[in-house]
Amino acid sequence: MRCRDLCWLALALVSGTAFAATEVIGPVYPVAEPDMVVWMKERAGSYFTPERLAALEAEKREATHRYAHTPPGTDLPRTTKPVTRWFDPSITVPYDLRDQDGRLIHAAGTTVNPLEWRSLTQRLLFLDGNDEDQVRWAEVQIADGQWQVKPILVAGPPLELGRQWQRHVFFDQQGLLVGKLGIKQLPAIVRQEGMRLQIDEVVP
């Protein structure tokens, strides 16, 4: 086959391929669906206007303010019958406890009482800050001065009472402490007696 025939054959093959690639088999319609990225940006822009963003920021500040001043508390009844119980804070170490240099502090299975290492030097006063009688009772305990006390609310406004009493007022988040100590009524006093904690649920 001569060179000219080869050129014509190549041109025919290319032309056939190009024709097949552009051949219309059926009707062609433009794309109707919107670009999702563009659509989402447009929706976000129309929703998160400067006014809306300012409103969301104000809502966030208000929610934070409410949480700080009146955190969600635990609902416990007021003490009607005084009860005294004891709590042993000892724990059993589940694995070898070592210091940063690898020296063994406590072997697995050892029973450890934290009060052997650090005493409870204050009395813990658990109360419902929404109950006026309990608040007045706590004020008397604080003003007595015979014991160092740490007021701990399970409900109520810790910041407000802190300003009123001119001292730190703590809050038992999610009732973790009263649940651990088994406190069922309020107010309650927790103090150290020997290697145990004495818990007195008292009538305010």
Side-chain angles (χ1 to χ4, degrees), residues 45-58:
S46 62
Y47 181 77
F48 293 107
T49 62
E51 295 78 10
R52 177 62 178 169
L53 290 174
L56 291 173
E57 183 63 27

Side-chain angles (χ1 to χ4, degrees), residues 65-81:
H65 181 273
R66 286 196 306 270
Y67 188 91
H69 285 75
T70 310
T74 303
D75 186 19
L76 289 178
R78 186 196 292 189
T79 301
T80 57
K81 181 179 180 181

Side-chain angles (χ1 to χ4, degrees), residues 64-117:
T64 302
H65 181 273
R66 286 196 306 270
Y67 188 91
H69 285 75
T70 310
T74 303
D75 186 19
L76 289 178
R78 186 196 292 189
T79 301
T80 57
K81 181 179 180 181
V83 174
T84 296
R85 64 172 58 89
W86 302 87
F87 179 80
D88 184 352
S90 298
I91 59 173
T92 300
V93 180
Y95 47 81
D96 288 347
L97 188 62
R98 300 179 181 275
D99 64 14
Q100 66 273 15
D101 297 320
R103 293 187 294 264
L104 182 66
I105 300 176
H106 294 295
T110 303
T111 299
V112 179
N113 189 330
L115 296 177
E116 296 177 1
W117 302 93

Side-chain angles (χ1 to χ4, degrees), residues 115-134:
L115 296 177
E116 296 177 1
W117 302 93
R118 184 168 184 176
S119 299
L120 182 64
T121 58
Q122 296 178 308
R123 294 190 174 194
L124 310 181
L125 306 184
F126 289 90
L127 69 146
D128 185 340
N130 293 321
D131 186 329
E132 293 183 0
D133 289 338
Q134 295 187 41

